[in-house]
Amino acid sequence: MERRTFLLTAAASGATTLPALAATAEAAPKPATGLALPVPAQPATLGVAARDWPKVGGNFGNQNHSTLTDITPGNVKKLGGAWHINLEGGSTSAYQQCTIVVQKGVLYVETTQQNVFAVDGRTGKVLWKTNLGTETTNMRGVAVAEGKVFTISGANIVYALDQKTGAVVWQKKLIVEDNGGDDGCDINSGQCGGNSGGLAGAVVHHDGRIYVGTEGSTAGARGRGYALDAKTGDVVWTFWGPPGPGGYGHDTWEGDSWKTGGAVPWIHPAVDPELGLVYWTFGNPYPRTDGSSRGGDNLFANSIVAIDAKTGKRRWHFQSVHHDIWDADNVMAPVLADLLVDGKKRQVVVYGSKTCWFYILDRRTGEALHGMEERKVPQHTLQKTSPTQPFPGGEPFTDPFPRFDKPTKPVPFYPAGGLYSVFWDRATIIFPGAGGGGDWGFPSFSPKTGYVYIGYGLVNSSYSNTRGGRVNTARPLGELFGGGLVAVDPRTNTVAWRKEGDWSLAHGNGILTTAGRVLFQGRPDGVLEAMDDTDGSTLWTWQCGAGVNTIPVSYEIDGEQYVAVLAGGNGLPFPDIPRGDHLWAFKIGGKVGQAPAPTPPSRRNQIRTAAVTGETAKNTVTLGRVWDTKTNAPGTTENTVAQNAMAPQLLTVPVGTEVTFANPADNQQAHGAAAFFDAEFDTALLMPGQSAKHTFTKAGEYFYNDPAFPQSTGKIVVK
């Protein structure tokens, strides 16, 4: 197969080829100034979120938009808690990633602790609770249909529960231990060596089938998406991320690298019932940052695939990153929308995330609405990099390269670059990195403004080929995180406005838009924010008690509009996001007050090792050595690859202390210590046997790293 024939290609034999979509002109009112209007009526087959929030994503197109209008910019300040409950008794042991589903006034929600709940949407009373076991996993949302509640478990079992009682109707274990075949592949499941992975993503139901994804690309699982019969749990079809022999795209993998190739679909798909297509996004290949053993484009990693809903056959695909070595999996839940572009109606799917671009494609054919250019990119022979990468028309929704004029600038002394910069054994900062761009934030399309809204993160990642004991530092210690919210005009793929702030908003921080013209989004500090959908100006905030890393939803009971959200925090990109189990419902005039504010996460990537006092360390930092906690002294051998080769890595001293930075005489390399980003001290490079001193006269925390081996980072806290 040609390397670049990734668009508009017919599916494998037996698949139906759809007729070309004739773009039709549509009369419309004059566009409103500053908005992406007019917007045609959205297809009824995609469904709507109105009285109910029928699925994760709101409708089959993942528009995350409610047609309810009672909550407006004029009255949102009167929004208060209708009720609040702690689903797990107030536990803060786990984070929560589940988005609520609402049907007929009942909220269906699940926790990482493997409990599924039905909750009265008016009162917050728990109607039933079902436990699925003790093996935990990320639970991102159920599907409710046919009188059942469908979900997954940490034990890789798919469950159908009775919608009224929570009783188990059927269960199906999908991932089992490798049985082993002559070719090294499981004779029943098709899994080939490596890690078997796990089930992942919110469950989606449509037309008698449920769709379930997988995770595990960082461990070598071979990704696949499942379609199951909703009545029985039987597997209808399986679509493999790395195709097997004879499959379309198999020849884009070197040798047997497809067997452990990753490409997992770990976020839920979109469905177009009219076209009979499931749009699923597949993640990065494995090994994640080392392309040397998997030459080729590595389909369907970093791709969106339009799959025939009945047969599981590929109709078309688009690969956004060829031969990924940057963990740049564009896995956000794709958004389906109908637009008017140059007076013509277009059916589109909006796809993208970590590369900071939206790829806006025709839903029938995969054709790029704004064009697509294969541009030459930096090359690395050992990494077997692709000579070109696809760039869509328009502009990125945030900068895909480092900005040294912003607080999120790279930590000093690392090589640094933007999208598609290459690396090998030297840790190299890529911006905005594996946790940056749109990552797995959940966008919203509002027919009232025509905008696609997405939260984004600004998170430096430091990549290297980590095999063979090389440097491994995913996020440089001491770096500052940031992010924001952006509105994109999909007609031109250009930014309409942005609202940048202190928090990365790309890790489950989904967006709810409403026909009442209010936009809701949660933050890692526990705040749920209501904004004007025209410009992002803040209208209302509420402290939920834990980080909000889920999608807010809206529903209606007896003519009264509610907004609900699960606030339970997350583990990325801030490892100290406050966790919990807070289920909230809000309405105009609600009387329940806000939760106490938890300690917000640090905006810096903190050093979290145990602190050592100056007295214990003799007010000395030994460079190129790791602190030995057994002897309470610096280690005896030089280390040039660890992040903690400052002994001790975290030192506490009183104001006025003189600290010595010493490079032991038996080290082989030059080392140093330079403070960032405050320039408090810089020892310059010290040869073995040399030392330097600095007296700390001001209280504060001082991060520093080794100019020769910049991943080695320490902190001195002066009290």
Side-chain angles (χ1 to χ4, degrees), residues 364-542:
R364 286 178 177 258
T365 65
E367 176 192 4
L369 210 66
H370 307 296
M372 195 72 62
E373 179 185 1
E374 286 285 342
R375 298 180 191 169
K376 293 181 179 180
V377 292
Q379 295 296 292
H380 197 291
T381 302
L382 294 176
Q383 287 279 29
K384 300 181 180 178
T385 45
S386 170
T388 63
Q389 295 289 351
F391 288 79
E395 64 183 0
F397 54 77
T398 191
D399 293 328
F401 50 83
R403 287 282 298 271
F404 290 86
D405 60 339
K406 289 190 174 184
T408 51
K409 57 183 174 288
V411 171
F413 305 116
Y414 285 86
L419 190 63
Y420 306 129
S421 293
V422 294
F423 54 86
W424 184 243
D425 53 0
R426 289 195 67 192
T428 301
I429 286 179
I430 310 294
F431 186 84
D439 205 345
W440 60 281
F442 297 103
S444 176
F445 171 72
S446 172
K448 293 298 181 180
T449 64
Y451 292 148
V452 177
Y453 303 87
I454 181 72
Y456 62 92
L458 303 174
V459 183
N460 290 298
S461 291
S462 179
Y463 298 127
S464 67
N465 166 19
T466 58
R467 291 189 185 183
R470 296 186 177 94
V471 173
N472 180 12
T473 168
R475 292 182 176 89
L477 294 171
E479 72 166 321
L480 282 156
F481 301 136
L485 170 69
V486 64
V488 174
D489 184 339
R491 302 171 305 173
T492 57
N493 203 19
T494 55
V495 172
W497 55 260
R498 79 171 62 254
K499 181 179 183 178
E500 201 150 287
D502 293 340
W503 304 114
S504 172
L505 299 175
H507 287 75
N509 310 94
I511 297 165
L512 165 67
T513 59
T514 69
R517 305 300 303 278
V518 179
L519 178 156
F520 294 88
Q521 186 181 33
R523 304 192 317 223
D525 61 346
V527 172
L528 179 64
E529 184 175 6
M531 292 165 271
D532 190 308
D533 65 6
T534 302
D535 57 12
S537 57
T538 300
L539 303 172
W540 170 91
T541 60
W542 190 271

Side-chain angles (χ1 to χ4, degrees), residues 210-513:
I210 60 172
Y211 300 102
V212 179
T214 54
E215 63 186 4
S217 64
T218 58
R222 184 185 175 208
R224 64 275 206 195
Y226 295 103
L228 276 63
D229 187 305
K231 287 185 169 55
T232 65
D234 293 337
V235 176
V236 178
W237 52 256
T238 303
F239 189 94
W240 291 95
Y248 184 97
H250 176 70
D251 59 346
T252 65
W253 294 86
E254 177 184 358
D256 286 340
S257 60
W258 61 275
K259 292 182 177 181
T260 55
V264 296
W266 54 279
I267 295 293
H268 63 275
V271 180
D272 188 327
E274 180 183 354
L275 299 180
L277 294 177
V278 177
Y279 302 87
W280 225 327
T281 56
F282 291 78
N284 55 276
Y286 177 86
R288 184 164 48 164
T289 60
D290 180 359
S292 64
S293 62
R294 53 173 172 83
D297 278 356
N298 305 146
L299 292 176
F300 292 99
N302 306 77
S303 299
I304 182 170
V305 185
I307 303 169
D308 188 295
K310 291 185 177 180
T311 67
K313 302 296 183 183
R314 165 194 161 276
R315 290 277 190 88
W316 59 261
H317 76 277
F318 168 73
Q319 187 178 48
S320 57
V321 181
H322 313 312
H323 189 78
D324 178 23
I325 59 171
W326 305 274
D327 192 16
D329 47 337
N330 292 311
V331 291
M332 73 175 212
V335 176
L336 310 184
D338 283 9
L339 307 175
L340 285 180
V341 181
D342 297 328
K344 297 179 180 180
K345 184 176 178 179
R346 301 298 302 266
Q347 296 175 298
V348 306
V349 54
V350 181
Y351 161 61
S353 76
K354 288 187 185 179
T355 61
C356 306
W357 289 89
F358 278 148
Y359 307 88
I360 302 177
L361 311 172
D362 187 287
R363 291 208 298 275
R364 286 178 177 258
T365 65
E367 176 192 4
L369 210 66
H370 307 296
M372 195 72 62
E373 179 185 1
E374 286 285 342
R375 298 180 191 169
K376 293 181 179 180
V377 292
Q379 295 296 292
H380 197 291
T381 302
L382 294 176
Q383 287 279 29
K384 300 181 180 178
T385 45
S386 170
T388 63
Q389 295 289 351
F391 288 79
E395 64 183 0
F397 54 77
T398 191
D399 293 328
F401 50 83
R403 287 282 298 271
F404 290 86
D405 60 339
K406 289 190 174 184
T408 51
K409 57 183 174 288
V411 171
F413 305 116
Y414 285 86
L419 190 63
Y420 306 129
S421 293
V422 294
F423 54 86
W424 184 243
D425 53 0
R426 289 195 67 192
T428 301
I429 286 179
I430 310 294
F431 186 84
D439 205 345
W440 60 281
F442 297 103
S444 176
F445 171 72
S446 172
K448 293 298 181 180
T449 64
Y451 292 148
V452 177
Y453 303 87
I454 181 72
Y456 62 92
L458 303 174
V459 183
N460 290 298
S461 291
S462 179
Y463 298 127
S464 67
N465 166 19
T466 58
R467 291 189 185 183
R470 296 186 177 94
V471 173
N472 180 12
T473 168
R475 292 182 176 89
L477 294 171
E479 72 166 321
L480 282 156
F481 301 136
L485 170 69
V486 64
V488 174
D489 184 339
R491 302 171 305 173
T492 57
N493 203 19
T494 55
V495 172
W497 55 260
R498 79 171 62 254
K499 181 179 183 178
E500 201 150 287
D502 293 340
W503 304 114
S504 172
L505 299 175
H507 287 75
N509 310 94
I511 297 165
L512 165 67
T513 59

